Every structure is written in structure tokens, then in C-alpha cells.
Amino acid sequence: MNLKFSDALRLSWGNITQYKRRSVIISLTISLLFGVILGFSFMLDGLSKTIFDATMQASDGKIYIATGYLEITSLDQSNFSEVEDLESAEKLISENAERYHGQVVGQITQYNIGNTRWVVNQELAKRFSDLDYNKSKDIQIPYVGPKIEDESFDSYLKDANGDADELLIKVGTYPATEPGNPTLPGFNLLNLLLSGVHGSYTHPLIVDDGSGKVMQYLQNQASQSSHSQDVTPYLQQTVIMFNNYDDAIAYYWDVWDVANGEGTPRNIKTSDGKKYTIHSGEVFSNVIDAKLNIRNLQNTLIMIEIIFIVVAIIVATLTFAHLIDQDTATIALYRSMGANTSSIYLIYLLYLLELCALAILSCILIALTLVGIMWLWNHAALASRLESYYYLDNPPKVRLFGINKIILWVVGSIIIIAPISLLLTLRRFSAKHITKQLKED
């Protein structure tokens, strides 16, 4: 006897209503495995938007990427582009930045003369604060420092002999974060996600006004240092400003993944035989770094979810096998009424799909409950923590809910459990197995 689809659907739903407790246990067994993962996925997506807004607010909606060339001693001759000199390479950097709507706003240069010194031009320094040169005397060297200075910052304020450098005087600030991560106090599940957000590096940025005073200062530092007497840049980078994240990240990946003649070459060789490799990174903020770290967390969640899918399939298969053994009498009744094997397969496939549908609803409910509890518990503390961490004028709006593609993974994974479990337990529907179970009972 072939059952109509409507009859099979009615019989399968009858199994759920007849065995309510069993159906609830099976649905919760599946949904609990995915509900927590889905909840963390929702929170991570919402937290990503919150962190992004905070980092953009900290840098006044701008993203700065510094790109330059670092001298190397590689013997490989095959992967170097020929240029006349470093100035020509800097021109290539500027031209490539224009392709991504970036604007060259200054330079930052690193000198390794005992204690490392970073020098920025005056135009770049003015972008972050009004420079108060009234604080400095004629012999003093102005610098801009991060808005928040940690203990390690003091080590940069020493001269070549390791003493406090009284020539350096702070005249302004630039955007920066506190050291470490913006984690909340005590044990908090959100800290598992916030631990992936890292602060930016902080050090004094000496302001060169073009008067020659800074170069004289560096020469004096070099003369006192036992490491070097040569005042030459260790790394000189062009600072490019972007008005939005999409342009910035496109340029960022282009610099590191250039594979053809366009854009900025990764390695260059100048006419005097020196070799250089590109060095690029975000400065004065950590928008890109925060985004990439959270993306890595999302990828980790996907890997964990795959493990949970395997576990869920194993659990569901074992549960379904036990369920069929419990339903031996019912299956025998179906057969006595003339139902063929295909009809019984259809009834139990629909039955398991209905259980999976209930599991999906339970999973989403568990995830939303988890997100809601975490938001009520943490939104005020997190807003305050991010305000201090990024040194913001106003607390950011905290969002702990966002939907991404992982929800499709979860729904699809739960649904696929039904046919997989059915295929792995087909032998339990055989007449031989049913007869054996009836005899044992």
C-alpha cells in the first residue's frame, strides 16, 4: 500500500504528539549543541559592529596606513622590481594609493640610534590635535604622544644613555588605545570574544617642523650611542589616509598580495644594488586589525561548529536507532496494514524532519535568550569600557546581536541530520530486524 503524502505527514506528526516527552528530549539534544554556537555567532557579529564603530569614532572616521620599504640582505634575485632610488618607490606608493581614493598626508620615519625614535612631519601631526608649541623652549624637541600612555611608554622617553630625555616635550596627542584587550572584569563570556581585540602600539612621535632642530637632536643622540653613529632612516613610510574602510582594506590587501605589474611592488632593488621589501600597517588606530581578528574568531567558530555538526549527527543517529527499536510494534502495525517499506521510510523521514524543525526553533530561541541575557548584563559596562579603552568623548552604542551566514550553516546542518540518520539506520527497518525485536520484547 502506498500512502498519500498527507497521510504520511499526519502519521509522522502523530508520533510527535503521542510521544511528547521523547520528542522534546530529542529536539533539545540537537538544539543545545547548536544554540550556544549560534548565540556566540550573533554576539560576535553584533560586537564586531560595536568595535568597528568605536575604532572609527576614535580616529574621527579616518583610517591611516603607513607604507614604506625596509632594507634587506636577501640573495634571491628573481623577485625584485628595478627602481632608480627610494624616492621613485615612494612615488609608486603614492600613485597606488590614489587608485584606492587614498590621500597622502605625511611621512613617519624610524631611526634606530640606541633608543628608537619616530619622526613625523608637522602636517601629519596637525591632523590629530592643535599643537601647543608654547610648552617648548627653543632647545626642546616637540612630540605628540598617545591619548593614553601606559608604563612602557616611559621607556621611549629616555636618551641614548638610558636617562630621562629632558629635551623631549609633549605638544599634542594622537589616537591610540589602552594596552592589552578591552576585557570586562571578572569571569565574563564576552571576554572570550573581546580577547581577540588588541590595542595599538604607542610611542612618542617627534614633530619635525623643517627647521633642522630635529636632525641636530638625532645626531646628538647618535653620537652618544654605542650602537650607531650613522643618522639614516631605518624605515621611512608614506602615511595614506582613507575616508572609509572598504577603500582602506582594498589597499591593505593590494600592498601585501600584489602579484602583477600594477600597484606597489613587494620587493625592489635600487640602482646602487640595495634591496628592500615592503612594510605596511595601520597607524593611529586599529580598525583593520580589529576587523581581521574578529574574522579569525568567526572562522574559529565555524571550525567548532563543524565539530558540533559531526557530534550532532552521531548523537541523532544513535537516538534515532534507539527510537526505531522502541517503535518496533508501530512499524509492525504499519506493515500489517499493508504499508510498504518506502511508505514507512517516508513516515520516519518526515518524523525526523519535523523533529529537526522543532530543534531549529529551539536553537534560535536558545541563541536569542543567551544574547538577550548577555546584553542586559553587559551593555552598560561594555560601553563604559570601550569609551575608556579607545579614549572616546562619548560611549559607543553597544550592539550584541547581528545575523550572518552561520545561521544558514546551523539550519542546514540540523536539517541534514534527518536524511543522514535515516540512511545510517535503514537496516533497522528490515523485516528480519523487526521480527527479532518483537521476539526479544
Side-chain angles (χ1 to χ4, degrees):
M1 178 182 70
N2 289 320
L3 291 179
K4 294 180 180 179
F5 181 81
S6 59
D7 293 332
L9 189 62
R10 177 176 52 82
L11 289 171
S12 64
W13 184 253
N15 279 344
I16 291 180
T17 57
Q18 184 177 358
Y19 302 103
K20 295 183 180 66
R21 183 179 178 184
R22 184 179 74 178
S23 300
V24 169
I25 292 174
I26 293 174
S27 297
L28 286 179
T29 300
I30 298 173
S31 61
L32 283 173
L33 292 171
F34 289 97
V36 174
I37 285 293
L38 189 59
F40 268 87
S41 172
F42 287 161
M43 285 191 289
L44 186 57
D45 199 72
L47 187 62
S48 173
K49 294 180 175 66
T50 299
I51 296 295
F52 178 78
D53 291 344
T55 53
M56 290 296 286
Q57 184 180 338
S59 59
D60 197 26
K62 311 295 183 183
I63 300 175
Y64 298 86
I65 297 179
T67 307
Y69 285 98
L70 182 67
E71 188 173 0
I72 57 175
T73 57
S74 171
L75 299 177
D76 185 5
Q77 302 289 329
S78 59
N79 297 319
F80 287 85
S81 301
E82 300 280 349
V83 296
E84 181 63 27
D85 47 34
L86 278 180
E87 286 74 17
S88 302
E90 290 173 3
K91 184 178 179 182
L92 291 176
I93 293 172
S94 300
E95 291 174 350
N96 193 36
E98 292 177 0
R99 295 173 54 215
Y100 296 96
H101 311 105
Q103 177 186 353
V104 175
V105 292
Q107 286 188 328
I108 180 170
T109 307
Q110 178 181 337
Y111 295 88
N112 286 355
I113 46 177
N115 194 6
T116 303
R117 297 299 188 198
W118 287 264
V119 178
V120 298
N121 56 359
Q122 193 167 226
E123 291 73 21
L124 181 58
K126 285 180 177 179
R127 290 188 168 271
F128 308 117
S129 59
D130 295 328
L131 304 182
D132 186 5
Y133 287 116
N134 294 326
K135 295 181 178 180
S136 64
K137 301 176 182 178
D138 290 340
I139 62 171
Q140 288 182 310
I141 307 300
Y143 77 87
V144 293
K147 291 183 177 180
I148 297 179
E149 299 174 6
D150 62 301
E151 294 179 1
S152 63
F153 183 86
D154 293 336
S155 64
Y156 293 113
L157 299 176
K158 299 182 183 297
D159 59 21
N161 296 322
D163 301 321
D165 195 335
E166 297 180 355
L167 286 178
L168 292 179
I169 181 70
K170 185 176 178 179
V171 296
T173 62
Y174 64 84
T177 65
E178 288 183 4
N181 316 102
T183 50
L184 299 170
F187 175 78
N188 194 306
L189 289 176
L190 275 185
N191 288 340
L192 296 175
L193 307 179
L194 291 170
S195 62
V197 180
H198 304 294
S200 54
Y201 295 103
T202 59
H203 40 66
L205 299 176
I206 296 172
V207 181
D208 187 357
D209 60 1
S211 65
K213 183 169 62 173
V214 169
M215 184 54 65
Q216 182 61 47
Y217 165 78
L218 294 174
Q219 289 173 345
N220 291 337
Q221 290 282 300
S223 65
Q224 300 174 30
S225 172
S226 60
H227 298 279
S228 174
Q229 300 292 326
D230 187 15
V231 184
T232 56
Y234 173 74
L235 177 62
Q236 183 169 303
Q237 295 179 286
T238 299
V239 180
I240 304 151
M241 182 189 74
F242 296 90
N243 290 316
N244 63 73
Y245 176 80
D246 291 336
D247 288 336
I249 194 66
Y251 172 82
Y252 179 86
W253 287 126
D254 179 82
V255 166
W256 288 113
D257 297 330
V258 90
N260 50 47
E262 297 182 358
T264 308
R266 178 185 289 270
N267 302 313
I268 61 169
K269 183 167 66 174
T270 57
S271 58
D272 57 4
K274 292 183 178 179
K275 302 170 187 175
Y276 301 85
T277 189
I278 203 162
H279 188 282
S280 187
E282 187 177 4
V283 290
F284 314 129
S285 61
N286 63 342
V287 179
I288 293 177
D289 184 58
K291 273 275 191 178
L292 295 180
N293 285 333
I294 290 178
R295 181 186 298 175
N296 290 336
L297 279 175
Q298 289 172 330
N299 291 335
T300 301
L301 272 180
I302 291 174
M303 296 302 298
I304 296 174
E305 183 191 343
I306 291 173
I307 296 174
F308 273 34
I309 290 172
V310 175
V311 172
I313 291 174
I314 293 173
V315 171
T317 302
L318 295 175
T319 303
F320 191 41
H322 182 65
L323 181 150
I324 296 170
D325 290 337
Q326 288 182 327
D327 285 2
T328 300
T330 303
I331 297 173
L333 178 61
Y334 290 156
R335 288 191 178 277
S336 66
M337 294 172 60
N340 57 30
T341 302
S342 298
S343 298
I344 297 175
Y345 287 166
L346 177 60
I347 292 172
Y348 275 85
L349 176 61
L350 291 174
Y351 174 41
L352 197 57
L353 284 173
E354 288 162 0
L355 288 175
C356 288
L358 292 175
I360 290 171
L361 294 177
S362 300
C363 176
I364 294 175
L365 183 60
I366 291 170
L368 293 177
T369 301
L370 177 62
V371 172
I373 292 173
M374 294 301 293
W375 186 87
L376 289 173
W377 184 16
N378 292 296
H379 78 278
L382 181 58
S384 176
R385 182 69 187 96
L386 293 177
E387 181 182 10
S388 64
Y389 183 75
Y390 288 103
Y391 209 79
L392 305 177
D393 294 331
N394 300 295
K397 180 180 179 181
V398 173
R399 289 175 285 181
L400 283 184
F401 178 78
I403 297 179
N404 53 35
K405 292 180 180 179
I406 288 185
I407 190 173
L408 299 178
W409 279 66
V410 169
V411 171
S413 300
I414 293 177
I415 290 175
I416 204 174
I417 288 174
I420 290 177
S421 298
L422 185 63
L423 287 172
L424 294 176
T425 55
L426 284 179
R427 67 178 184 84
R428 292 178 179 266
F429 288 95
S430 65
K432 181 179 180 181
H433 179 79
I434 298 298
T435 303
K436 179 181 177 183
Q437 287 297 116
L438 289 174
K439 288 181 179 181
E440 292 177 355
D441 294 340

